[in-house]
Amino acid sequence: MDVTINVNGTDYIRDIEPRMLLVHFIREELGLRGTHWGCDTSNCGTCVVWVDDEPVKSCTMLAVMADGHRVKTVEGLEGPDGLDPIQQGFIECHGLQCGFCTPGMMMTGRWLIDKNPDISEEEIREGISGQICRCTGYKNIVEAIRWAAEHPKGSEVTA
Amino acid sequence: MQTPAPVDYARATSVDHALQLLEQHGEDARVIAGGHSLIPMMRLRIASPTTLIDLNDLDELKGIRVEGNEIVIGAMTRHAEVLDSAILAEHYPIFREAEKLIADPVVRNRGTVGGSMCQADPSEDLSAVGSALGGTVVIRSKSGSRTVPIREFHFGPYMTQVADGEILTEVRFPIRPGAGSAYEKVERRVGDWPVASAGVFVVVRDGVVSDCGIGLTAVGAEHFSAPGAEEFLVGKAPTEENLAQAAAIAADSCSPVSDQRGPADYKKHLAQELTLRALRRAVAASQGA
């Protein structure tokens, strides 16, 4: 069936099977490979994207359910002025090792900061509790999200 | 890679439309809410509906409101909204305590109250909350609405009163002035199903328990409830001894099974201990109210 899904500000019209999962629509139909596909069981969280401004696990949503909605992926974080602070934070704090969990972590991290700019370490840990980093790098991930909270969009970012 | 079997899809624009679509697409059509139980089951081919009827646009089924002396939760209300609800925090903190332990924040953005109730997993946390509070569910079909006591809603694991051509539309809970409530859960890791959970409400008036409800999940409690323990406690002083006795009666009425989450005797022990802890806190909250 025909769907129109707005991904990172662009409307994409595609003819897809209703059984196609959103993560595969993003990766295979649109070629946006920043969103990763991990456990297949909504446990690991590497496939997290935003649907209408809220993070969801895109392996557990059908693409047809996003018809007419807005999706934002990790590719949509960067703005005209450069990297989003959440991306910069992962650079500054060495928030990744292998990088597999990173797109999901950044999408949830950005949402957590938008909801609560003064978010605590404990709240960040709870916020990313549905996402798994197998490099055991949670400490640096939490620091990266904190870094982004302390360097809001528009503030001077040092590379 | 796990992919669902081929399926048709239709998006409902109203409850009436959804009911019409259900009728039109036959007995193997299913409504889909947050999809966080149904989609994994479809991927494993445990469920193979022929058509999915998407309820996500139905704003009429979303939200939490007070109607007279009842709190009404729409079936399409997300877990995240239940967790953050000021109305529920005021009347029944048990919801917030339970929701904080249901799945994880991202899953709670999609999962719904109605979806959880209708999935009827024998370890569902909200089923214990509902059973403790003893409300009603409203089920709609083309011929009208019917109201079912929440303790009669589940026939057994994965089986509910919702029949072909019907949709759960809302869950209703009586407001009880002065009630204290609490939820206790033991899980193996963050976001997991419980090994065992207990949820309770208690009203203490003039030094005695005037009303109470006990809900249990994952421990084989019939209808997620412990009526014998409630009967014992009502009319008695909320002493430690009486609370412990009620918790023991509640645990006795459970029939947990040994599985990967733990052996049956451990679960029975948890049922008793978690009921006692929840009762203590609910009594304290009621006495402080």
Side-chain angles (χ1 to χ4, degrees), chain A residues 1-148:
Chain A
M1 64 180 282
D2 286 332
V3 295
T4 304
I5 302 177
N6 184 292
V7 181
N8 301 328
T10 303
D11 279 338
Y12 293 94
I13 302 167
R14 292 288 188 279
D15 179 15
I16 59 167
E17 280 190 87
R19 62 172 168 164
M20 175 177 266
L21 297 159
L22 182 58
V23 65
H24 299 312
F25 177 84
I26 292 166
R27 287 176 57 86
E28 312 304 329
E29 288 289 325
L30 306 186
L32 295 171
R33 302 296 177 92
T35 301
H36 288 167
W37 167 44
C39 70
D40 240 357
T41 57
S42 73
N43 282 291
C44 83
T46 195
C47 67
V48 168
V49 301
W50 289 8
V51 176
D52 296 336
D53 304 321
E54 280 192 336
V56 302
K57 293 182 175 177
S58 62
C59 76
T60 309
M61 181 167 173
L62 299 171
V64 285
M65 296 172 82
D67 184 21
H69 291 269
R70 285 177 295 114
V71 173
K72 185 170 174 172
T73 71
V74 68
E75 289 92 345
L77 284 175
E78 188 176 353
D81 303 327
L83 295 180
D84 186 279
I86 192 78
Q87 296 172 300
Q88 194 65 38
F90 274 72
I91 296 173
E92 298 292 331
C93 302
H94 196 84
L96 61 115
Q97 290 181 42
C98 84
F100 195 75
C101 72
T102 312
M105 290 290 185
M106 291 202 293
M107 296 314 289
T108 301
R110 178 73 259 164
W111 173 68
L112 291 171
I113 299 168
D114 286 348
K115 277 208 310 178
N116 178 7
D118 192 30
I119 191 164
S120 70
E121 181 186 328
E122 195 188 334
E123 288 164 333
I124 292 171
R125 284 186 179 273
E126 191 192 346
I128 61 169
S129 61
Q131 291 166 249
I132 294 171
C133 166
R134 281 295 88 133
C135 304
T136 67
Y138 295 106
K139 183 172 188 299
N140 286 3
I141 291 168
V142 172
E143 283 175 9
I145 296 171
R146 265 307 304 170
W147 189 96

Side-chain angles (χ1 to χ4, degrees), chain B residues 18-184:
Chain B
L19 292 167
Q20 182 196 323
L21 287 169
L22 266 180
E23 185 179 71
Q24 184 184 326
H25 288 279
E27 61 179 14
D28 289 327
R30 289 288 178 276
V31 295
I32 185 164
H36 275 55
S37 298
L38 184 53
I39 290 175
M41 287 175 74
M42 288 171 64
R43 302 178 71 160
L44 294 167
R45 310 282 173 115
I46 297 169
S48 296
T50 50
T51 304
L52 289 176
I53 295 157
D54 189 346
L55 305 183
N56 280 278
D57 280 359
L58 303 191
D59 290 341
E60 61 189 298
L61 295 186
K62 293 176 187 166
I64 298 160
R65 62 185 192 277
V66 173
E67 249 182 48
N69 62 350
E70 282 188 316
I71 296 170
V72 184
I73 305 178
M76 283 300 295
T77 307
R78 313 276 176 193
H79 289 293
E81 189 178 345
V82 175
L83 177 61
D84 288 338
S85 164
I87 292 172
L88 292 174
E90 180 192 343
H91 296 285
Y92 288 123
I94 184 175
F95 277 103
R96 187 174 168 75
E97 293 183 7
E99 284 287 359
K100 255 184 117 62
L101 301 169
I102 293 177
D104 62 66
V106 176
V107 169
R108 290 197 295 261
N109 281 339
R110 289 294 294 174
T112 64
V113 170
S116 292
M117 294 293 295
C118 290
Q119 176 66 12
D121 190 289
S123 301
E124 173 56 46
D125 288 292
L126 278 188
S127 297
V129 173
S131 205
L133 298 180
T136 53
V137 299
V138 180
I139 299 169
R140 247 172 83 178
S141 67
K142 288 199 87 170
S143 56
S145 278
R146 63 191 179 103
T147 300
V148 175
I150 215 161
R151 287 189 177 183
E152 293 170 20
F153 180 68
H154 298 100
F155 289 126
Y158 310 106
M159 292 184 288
T160 74
Q161 291 264 4
V162 180
D164 288 343
E166 290 190 319
I167 295 175
L168 172 71
T169 55
E170 59 191 32
V171 191
R172 308 176 75 98
F173 297 103
I175 293 173
R176 300 177 177 93
S181 64
Y183 198 74
E184 292 280 347

